[in-house]
Amino acid sequence: RSRKAKWQRLCRRLTGPVEADKLEIPSLALHQFLRGYQKEGVAWMSTLEECGFHGILADEMGLGKTIQALTVLLRRRIVAKADKPSLIVCPTSLVENWHMEAERFTPELRVAVISGSDRKAMLKAVRKGMADIAITSYALLRRDIEDYGKISLDYVILDEAQHIKNPETANAKTCKALSSRHRLILTGTPVENSIHELWSLFDFLMPGLLGDRQYFREKYETAADSQGREADAGAAAELARQVHPFILRRTKKEVCKQLPPKLEHVVYCEFDENQRKLYSQLVATGSKMIRQARVEGWNKNRMELLSILLRLRQICCHPGLLPSRLLDPEVEIGSAKTELLKEIILEAIDGDHRMLIFSQFTKMLRIITEWLKERNIPFEYLDGSTKDRQARVTRFNRDSTIPVFIISLKAGGTGLNLTGADTVIHYDPWWNPMVEDQATDRTHRIGQENIVTSFKLVVRHTIEEKILRLQADKRELFNQLVGGAPGKVGQLTPEDFEFLLQR
């Protein structure tokens, strides 16, 4: 009876309202800086600590997951008197950002960035108590995991946890091998492609909570296939109830009434005759392949179909992205969308606006930068090969004479604070709308004082319009997850292929 009563009290504590007003934050400056919802986030994480559980802080991009996590670590060291170091694991591109944020918000904590050739000595110093926080990347953690086995940690915090969403990867296995008292995941998208990713996250946080991999697959992932749609909905609702106490998700719309609005527009353009002809030829090839796939099977033809989709998207951006073998050297083909972009850039500059331009194609980014150079328009640039990311971000935010920041979607979609801009241009749509939202939130975030306008450039009557339709479906499924009903997101089904390649 006493055990049951204890469990009931624990359940009430986990599901009840947090008491942020009673939260002790051992830094006056930090206490004054934290917003109300951020204090509630820290209180929620502290409640999980006290109850012996671990969780996922899944706030929307731009709401300050970093500062909330740092506040938790400061409380652990000063209030709870934790005598062990904590570890933050993040993508390589975010290591320096975490270091800067820790120095800014929690200068009371000693921080060690584990990088370079002397990592063994650094980790030995951490083990001897010479640092409160160690920061490393997923890539380096894989190399150094044996040394981490000698360190007893207080907290392990994983940032951008999509790096462990596939349980079979080295990243996932390495992170799960760490030993710590407490664990925390930070991610704006707990599920991107499939609910099996959720199982991997919880296998890191609390192994066994959702059963083993086989149990989870049979109970939740295949329920629809074996028992029909109603059974699938019931299984999803049950899963949502299980994970609900351990996921905290807030959106800017809910908690930041003072944040300026974000205006979103889709701007359309039309192919000229030559560009349309090239596009139609490739659609015909895709349609033929669809018929072949119906006979031979989708998996056998999947890579060829994906290649066709890629080529169609490249034509929409600029024919110059295609391999030369697909182009007739005797026919000059321009880009309707590139011309539209030029008009928008010039108009934005005339209106004294500063903009971020995202594309997933680095070759497209180079085409844009060449035009900017020809027009003597100052710009900053960032892609996956950029080394001095933070220096470029700082320069753009501080120098109002630089009106344009060109960014690859993959390299710049997370970890950057670019409130110096008030306009975002998505040159090409991506399958998963949450990725685009994260990119827009580089500027629509805490610290922004101006209305943010986001433009999506789309070529009419092409695959890009159909991608917008798919985006709407995937956003709805994502919202089901954070509202309490996980579902599959981001996978292209045979029906999707047919939809995208139909004439």
Side-chain angles (χ1 to χ4, degrees):
R1 182 179 300 177
S2 60
R3 181 179 298 177
K4 182 178 180 181
K6 184 178 179 180
W7 173 248
Q8 289 175 338
R9 287 196 301 272
L10 193 62
C11 290
R12 286 194 297 270
R13 183 82 191 279
L14 285 173
T15 57
V18 298
E19 299 179 331
D21 55 325
K22 298 179 180 179
L23 186 70
E24 181 182 353
I25 298 175
S27 164
L28 181 59
L30 190 57
H31 193 284
Q32 293 173 337
F33 187 89
L34 286 171
R35 296 169 183 264
Y37 73 89
Q38 292 171 331
K39 293 177 182 177
E40 291 174 359
V42 175
W44 175 78
M45 288 180 275
S46 298
T47 298
L48 288 183
E49 279 178 21
E50 295 169 15
C51 295
F53 293 106
H54 316 301
I56 301 173
L57 181 59
D59 284 348
E60 191 175 23
M61 281 289 176
L63 292 184
K65 292 189 288 293
T66 300
I67 189 174
Q68 293 177 70
L70 288 170
T71 304
V72 167
L73 297 185
L74 184 66
R75 280 176 42 81
R76 289 294 303 168
R77 173 60 70 176
I78 297 180
V79 178
K81 307 296 184 185
D83 57 354
K84 301 179 185 297
S86 292
L87 175 67
I88 296 168
V89 188
C90 62
T92 303
S93 60
L94 298 186
V95 169
E96 185 57 29
N97 184 72
W98 269 98
H99 187 199
M100 292 176 61
E101 297 289 85
E103 289 186 335
R104 177 186 177 191
F105 295 120
T106 55
E108 301 90 342
L109 299 178
R110 300 165 298 165
V111 179
V113 175
I114 311 301
S115 62
S117 59
D118 200 23
R119 299 193 303 278
K120 281 189 177 293
M122 293 178 178
L123 288 170
K124 186 175 181 180
V126 171
R127 189 171 74 248
K128 291 183 175 181
M130 298 174 66
D132 302 313
I133 302 175
I135 304 172
T136 194
S137 67
Y138 289 98
L140 291 179
L141 179 65
R142 292 198 306 271
R143 300 182 194 177
D144 302 335
I145 187 59
E146 289 187 10
D147 294 301
Y148 283 96
K150 305 169 187 175
I151 304 175
S152 180
L153 298 165
D154 185 50
Y155 249 99
V156 171
I157 298 178
L158 303 187
D159 191 17
E160 298 298 333
Q162 63 267 26
H163 288 264
I164 70 159
K165 286 182 177 178
N166 180 347
E168 303 305 320
T169 61
N171 278 341
K173 293 175 181 178
T174 301
C175 291
K176 293 171 185 180
L178 293 167
S179 174
S180 65
R181 288 173 178 158
H182 304 286
R183 297 191 168 199
L184 174 66
I185 282 175
L186 309 178
T187 176
T189 52
V191 170
E192 288 183 310
N193 295 309
S194 173
I195 59 172
H196 84 264
E197 298 171 344
L198 196 66
W199 180 87
S200 187
L201 297 186
F202 275 91
D203 190 48
F204 164 78
L205 290 173
M206 294 175 285
L209 179 73
L210 300 181
D212 62 21
R213 185 75 189 89
Q214 183 65 26
Y215 170 84
F216 187 86
R217 183 183 294 113
E218 293 175 356
K219 185 170 181 62
Y220 299 113
E221 293 181 51
T222 63
D225 297 333
S226 61
Q227 301 176 43
R229 190 176 300 273
E230 289 185 7
D232 180 58
E238 180 183 335
L239 176 59
R241 286 193 296 271
Q242 280 190 270
V243 302
H244 176 73
F246 311 109
I247 300 178
L248 180 62
R249 165 81 173 180
R250 281 84 58 88
T251 66
K252 288 195 292 287
K253 185 176 181 180
E254 294 169 354
V255 302
C256 283
K257 304 298 183 184
Q258 70 275 34
L259 195 65
K262 176 173 65 175
L263 308 179
E264 298 180 291
H265 304 280
V266 178
V267 184
Y268 294 96
C269 60
E270 295 272 2
F271 281 146
D272 64 16
E273 183 178 351
N274 288 338
Q275 199 173 1
R276 172 61 67 183
K277 183 178 179 181
L278 178 63
Y279 183 87
S280 298
Q281 290 171 349
L282 202 56
V283 169
T285 301
S287 298
K288 181 180 178 180
M289 197 169 293
I290 285 285
R291 292 192 295 272
Q292 182 177 326
R294 290 196 190 108
V295 176
E296 298 180 353
W298 291 99
N299 289 335
K300 185 175 181 180
N301 292 272
R302 186 177 181 85
M303 295 310 297
E304 290 81 359
L305 288 167
L306 287 172
S307 177
I308 291 289
L309 296 183
L310 172 65
R311 299 305 180 210
L312 291 175
R313 291 169 50 234
Q314 288 175 325
I315 293 174
C316 292
C317 290
H318 196 292
L321 302 186
L322 293 173
S324 58
R325 59 182 170 77
L326 298 179
L327 299 172
D328 184 346
E330 302 297 322
V331 179
E332 184 177 344
I333 304 178
S335 169
K337 187 185 286 193
T338 303
E339 295 306 310
L340 172 62
L341 175 69
K342 293 175 183 178
E343 294 176 11
I344 292 175
I345 290 175
L346 294 175
E347 184 177 346
I349 292 175
D350 286 343
D352 201 26
H353 295 287
R354 304 178 68 212
M355 70 208 79
L356 313 179
I357 301 176
F358 289 96
S359 173
Q360 58 215 280
F361 300 110
T362 53
K363 190 173 181 180
M364 189 66 234
L365 298 180
R366 289 194 291 270
I367 291 173
I368 299 170
T369 57
E370 286 303 312
W371 177 78
L372 292 172
K373 291 175 183 176
E374 291 172 7
R375 296 297 298 251
N376 293 316
I377 297 173
F379 66 90
E380 283 293 342
Y381 179 91
L382 189 152
D383 65 19
S385 64
T386 303
K387 303 299 182 185
D388 56 340
R389 289 166 55 99
Q390 194 58 49
R392 298 190 186 204
V393 168
T394 300
R395 191 157 51 239
F396 178 81
N397 282 332
R398 291 179 178 175
D399 188 349
S400 61
T401 66
I402 304 174
V404 181
F405 205 136
I406 307 293
I407 309 174
S408 72
L409 186 65
K410 185 175 181 180
T414 59
L416 302 179
N417 187 331
L418 287 161
T419 52
D422 62 6
T423 302
V424 179
I425 301 172
H426 292 285
Y427 189 83
D428 35 86
W430 183 236
W431 310 107
N432 191 330
M434 282 72 76
V435 174
E436 292 181 356
D437 291 345
Q438 289 176 344
T440 301
D441 287 343
R442 299 307 93 220
T443 187
H444 190 244
R445 59 195 298 120
I446 301 301
Q448 178 60 264
E449 298 178 355
N450 301 312
I451 294 174
V452 172
T453 305
S454 173
F455 296 99
K456 285 186 183 183
L457 308 190
V458 174
V459 182
R460 292 279 288 172
H461 310 300
T462 69
I463 188 175
E464 292 191 332
E465 279 195 307
K466 295 176 181 179
I467 288 175
L468 294 187
R469 293 264 302 276
L470 288 180
Q471 282 185 340
D473 293 339
K474 294 178 191 307
R475 190 183 302 277
E476 180 181 351
L477 287 170
F478 176 79
N479 289 335
Q480 286 179 356
L481 163 70
V482 299
K488 291 185 178 180
V489 184
Q491 294 177 328
L492 287 178
T493 65
E495 291 75 17
D496 290 335
F497 279 115
E498 293 198 5
F499 170 68
L500 290 165
L501 289 171
Q502 69 186 8
R503 294 181 186 236

